Amino acid sequence: MPAIVSKLKGVQWIPCACHVLNLVAKNSLKASDGVYKLLQKCSEMVSSVKISNKRKMELREKQLALGDTSPKTLKRFVEARFNTSFMMIESVLNAKAALIALKYPLIPFEYEILEELQMLLRPIRELSVALEGEKYPTMSLVYPMMTLLSEALQSVVLEKPVVREVRRSMVAILRKKWADLYRPLPPEIKLGPLILDPRVRASSMYDKVSESERQLKALVECEDVLRSKLPEPQSESSSLDHAASSPTKLFGINYGSRVSFHREKQDSDLLTRYLLAVESDPPRLGSETSVEWYTRHPKLAPVFALFRELAGCPAAACSVERLWSVAKRLNSDLRDSMGDNTFSQLLYLRQNGPLAKKLGLRCRFIDVDFPIRGLIFR
C-alpha cells in the first residue's frame, strides 16, 4: 500500500493503528517458542471441541454442573482477525474448571502462563476496541494512546520468564513500528490533531505525551508548522475571562486535572490565542465536543477550519474494510444479475440506513449517480 500511494501526487498514506496493534501482538507472541507452542496447543484443543457437537455438549453440561449459569463457547484463534489470541485465552480460562474436569491436555502451569498472557494482552485489546468499529478515530487519539499503551505494558506484574520475554519483545516491536510507520509522517498530520483538539490539549493526557524531551521538541516544531498554515490574526484581542479547573475525562477515562500551559499572555498569532482560550476556558469534558467548543469561540474559526481538515485523517481503516465485507455479502449468487447502480444504492442504504432511521430521515433516490460503479466481487 505505501508503494502505491507514493506514486499518487498529493496523497499521504497513514497506517491503520488497529493493524499495527495486531502485528505487535502477533509478532511478539511468536518471539517466545514456549508461548507460541502453548498457543498452538490451545488452538488445537479449541478446534477439537468446536468441530464436535458431542464435545461441545459435554463441555457445556460440565460447566453447568460446576455452577456456571451462563457458559460461553470457546473462541477459535484466527491469525488475520484482531485480538483472537486474547479472546481464545480468555475463553479457555473461563472454562478452566470444566476443561480440567474433562481432562483436556493442559497442565496447571500452562494455565498460569495463560493468565499472565491475558493480563499482558488486555491493554492491546482495550485500545483496539477504542479504535475499531464505526468510531472513526483520528490521529489526536493515536499518539497519546500509544504512549499510554507502552506504560501499561511495562506496568503489568509478571512472574513467568517466558511471558516477560514476550513483553520485552512487544515493547520493542511497538517502538519500532512507531518509528518506521508514524515518525516519518508530516508533523501537522501526526501531531496537528493532537494540538488542535481542545479536549486533548486541556487534559493531562497531553502532559503525558510531552513528558520526554524528544516528544516535547516534536510538539513545538509542529506548533511552528501550524502557525505557518494559519492566517494573520485581527488586531483586536479576544476576551478570555473564563477561568476553570476541573477533572479531565476523555474517551471514558479519567486523566486527572488539566495541564497548565504556562504561556505568556500574548495575542501574537491565532495559535497562541487558541492555546490561551483552551487554558482559560477548557471544554466541558464528557458533555461538550470539540466542535461545540469551537462554536463557542467564533474568533478561532480559522483554527477550527484547520482542525477539521487535519482531524478528518482517519487513524484506522476498520470501517473501510467492513464496507468491503458488506459489499461482498450483498453481491451474492442470487443477485448475480444486479446492476451497478442498484448495487451502489443497496450498499449506501445498508451503511447509512440505520443512521437515517435513528435521525428520523427518509432516503430517496432521484437520478442519483453513485460513485461506486463497476465493482465486481467473486
Side-chain angles (χ1 to χ4, degrees):
M1 180 63 74
I4 297 176
V5 175
S6 63
K7 298 180 180 180
L8 302 176
K9 295 182 179 180
V11 178
Q12 177 65 52
W13 177 72
I14 300 176
C16 174
C18 287
H19 283 85
V20 171
L21 291 175
N22 189 47
L23 290 174
V24 169
K26 182 175 69 173
N27 295 341
S28 59
L29 291 173
K30 292 181 178 179
S32 173
D33 291 337
V35 169
Y36 187 64
K37 290 178 181 178
L38 175 58
L39 292 179
Q40 284 184 322
K41 185 177 180 180
C42 288
S43 180
E44 292 172 0
M45 181 187 69
V46 171
S47 297
S48 68
V49 175
K50 299 285 285 185
I51 63 176
S52 172
N53 289 329
K54 179 181 178 180
R55 294 193 185 117
K56 283 192 290 187
M57 291 302 298
E58 286 178 349
L59 181 61
R60 179 179 175 82
E61 290 173 359
K62 182 59 68 174
Q63 288 175 293
L64 292 171
L66 292 174
D68 190 352
T69 56
S70 57
K72 295 180 175 60
T73 60
L74 297 178
K75 302 294 184 181
R76 198 194 304 264
F77 168 71
V78 181
E79 188 172 0
R81 300 197 67 177
F82 300 155
N83 300 306
T84 50
S85 297
F86 174 83
M87 295 166 65
M88 181 185 68
I89 294 172
E90 186 179 47
S91 66
V92 169
L93 291 176
N94 289 336
K96 174 182 175 181
L99 291 172
I100 293 175
L102 294 172
K103 298 181 180 181
Y104 277 93
L106 283 181
I107 60 177
F109 179 75
E110 291 173 329
Y111 281 110
E112 294 175 1
I113 294 178
L114 291 178
E115 289 173 357
E116 292 197 357
L117 285 174
Q118 182 188 24
M119 292 190 298
L120 184 62
L121 292 173
R122 188 177 297 278
I124 294 182
R125 161 70 173 174
E126 293 177 352
L127 181 53
S128 299
V129 171
L131 293 172
E132 67 183 5
E134 303 298 328
K135 299 176 183 178
Y136 302 100
T138 62
M139 288 300 295
S140 62
L141 175 63
V142 172
Y143 205 102
M145 282 299 185
M146 289 296 183
T147 303
L148 294 174
L149 175 62
S150 181
E151 292 186 358
L153 293 175
Q154 298 184 60
S155 65
V156 178
V157 180
L158 302 174
E159 296 180 358
K160 303 295 183 289
V162 289
V163 186
R164 290 179 181 177
E165 181 183 354
V166 171
R167 175 170 61 183
R168 286 193 297 269
S169 176
M170 190 175 292
V171 174
I173 294 174
L174 178 64
R175 291 174 177 173
K176 188 178 186 305
K177 288 288 183 183
W178 179 265
D180 294 344
L181 298 177
Y182 287 98
R183 196 169 294 167
L185 292 176
E188 64 272 18
I189 294 179
K190 179 175 59 178
L191 296 173
L194 179 69
I195 296 173
L196 298 181
D197 191 334
R199 298 172 301 169
V200 180
R201 194 64 173 84
S203 70
S204 60
M205 181 188 287
Y206 186 89
D207 198 21
K208 178 68 68 175
V209 171
S210 59
E211 279 183 351
S212 70
E213 183 177 351
R214 184 184 64 187
Q215 290 175 336
L216 181 60
K217 181 180 179 181
L219 289 169
V220 173
E221 292 176 353
C222 183
E223 288 185 5
D224 294 337
V225 174
L226 294 176
R227 283 189 176 92
S228 66
K229 294 181 175 293
L230 290 171
E232 292 294 329
Q234 299 178 359
S235 59
E236 59 178 355
S237 60
S238 58
S239 59
L240 305 171
D241 300 330
H242 301 89
S245 179
S246 59
T248 298
K249 189 173 183 181
L250 184 63
F251 307 112
I253 307 173
N254 287 309
Y255 293 98
S257 300
R258 64 182 177 83
V259 66
S260 178
F261 306 129
H262 303 292
R263 292 181 175 274
E264 296 181 358
K265 302 298 183 180
Q266 298 177 353
D267 287 340
S268 57
D269 54 68
L270 282 173
L271 185 62
T272 303
R273 292 185 181 184
Y274 158 75
L275 297 175
L276 293 173
V278 175
E279 181 179 2
S280 61
D281 184 18
R284 297 182 289 272
L285 298 178
S287 62
E288 185 178 35
T289 65
S290 298
V291 175
E292 292 170 344
W293 184 87
Y294 274 109
T295 304
R296 291 197 295 106
H297 298 80
K299 294 183 180 180
L300 298 175
V303 183
F304 180 39
L306 181 60
F307 168 70
R308 286 191 302 174
E309 179 181 350
L310 297 177
C313 301
C318 299
S319 57
V320 178
E321 294 199 2
R322 291 188 177 187
L323 180 63
W324 287 95
S325 300
V326 170
K328 183 177 180 180
R329 289 194 296 269
L330 283 176
N331 195 36
S332 62
D333 292 338
L334 297 177
R335 293 172 172 170
D336 194 49
S337 61
M338 178 173 53
D340 293 343
N341 195 45
T342 303
F343 169 71
S344 299
Q345 292 183 8
L346 285 174
L347 185 60
Y348 180 87
L349 286 175
R350 175 63 180 81
Q351 290 299 106
N352 299 282
L355 177 61
K357 184 177 180 180
K358 182 179 179 180
L359 298 177
L361 303 177
R362 295 182 63 184
C363 296
R364 296 180 63 190
F365 300 97
I366 303 177
D367 298 328
V368 178
D369 186 17
F370 286 83
I372 309 174
R373 298 184 62 84
L375 298 181
I376 301 176
F377 299 86
R378 298 297 184 202

